[in-house]
Amino acid sequence: MAWDEWEQLKADALERQQGSAHMQLNQLDGGGPVSPPSQYGDLRVKNDALTKVGKEAHSLYNQLWDRARVHIASSDSAAGDLSKQGFALGAGLKHASTRWDEQLKSLMDACAQISNHMQVTKKTHDGDEGYILRQMSSIATLDAGFDERVGPPGKQNEIYGEKPQKKDD
């Protein structure tokens, strides 16, 4: 896409947006109405999904280490032999081998980062969930202590414990 065409598309979109009157439907294409944000529910990340992605990335890393790395040594050896024999192909093969090695290292690094990130994300998410649960439970306890309406009418709120007995003199 040419730069002028991109600029024209942006200008057309802006013009449509600023037109005299426009309508925006509250639905997705064929998906029906969209729920307001308050009804979306909680953010949920399933640990089994994180674990599965991490395992696949680790598995791919291991496969690349076992299978793809082996070709580099044999290609370098062949490139050296061809160069010694005076073939120009040796230099080309060496260049291809070097690029393969660079790309392989980059891909393996990306797999390792994905795998490690999934492990860290899972641990962080578990820690956040525990922290939120602890905070929410302590807020509920504190809230119950301030709410005099907790418990049957006319009775003391259970949160305060039993009334101390008065001593008879």
Side-chain angles (χ1 to χ4, degrees), residues 83-154:
S83 293
K84 285 179 188 174
Q85 295 175 25
F87 290 102
L89 182 62
L93 185 56
K94 177 63 179 166
H95 176 74
S97 176
T98 301
R99 292 292 296 152
W100 175 266
D101 187 39
E102 291 169 359
Q103 295 298 315
L104 179 62
K105 287 177 182 175
S106 177
L107 183 58
M108 290 175 67
D109 185 47
C111 290
Q113 286 181 3
I114 291 169
S115 178
N116 292 340
H117 182 70
M118 291 299 107
Q119 291 175 1
V120 169
T121 300
K122 181 180 174 190
K123 287 180 184 178
T124 301
H125 180 67
D126 287 344
D128 289 347
E129 281 294 314
Y131 175 77
I132 290 169
L133 287 173
R134 288 189 306 274
Q135 294 302 314
M136 295 305 289
S137 65
S138 64
I139 290 171
T141 303
L142 181 63
D143 191 39
F146 285 107
D147 191 355
E148 296 295 332
R149 296 170 291 168
V150 174

Side-chain angles (χ1 to χ4, degrees), residues 35-50:
S35 302
S38 62
Q39 295 178 5
Y40 286 150
D42 296 332
L43 171 64
R44 293 181 188 231
V45 178
K46 294 184 178 180
N47 284 340
D48 59 336
L50 296 176

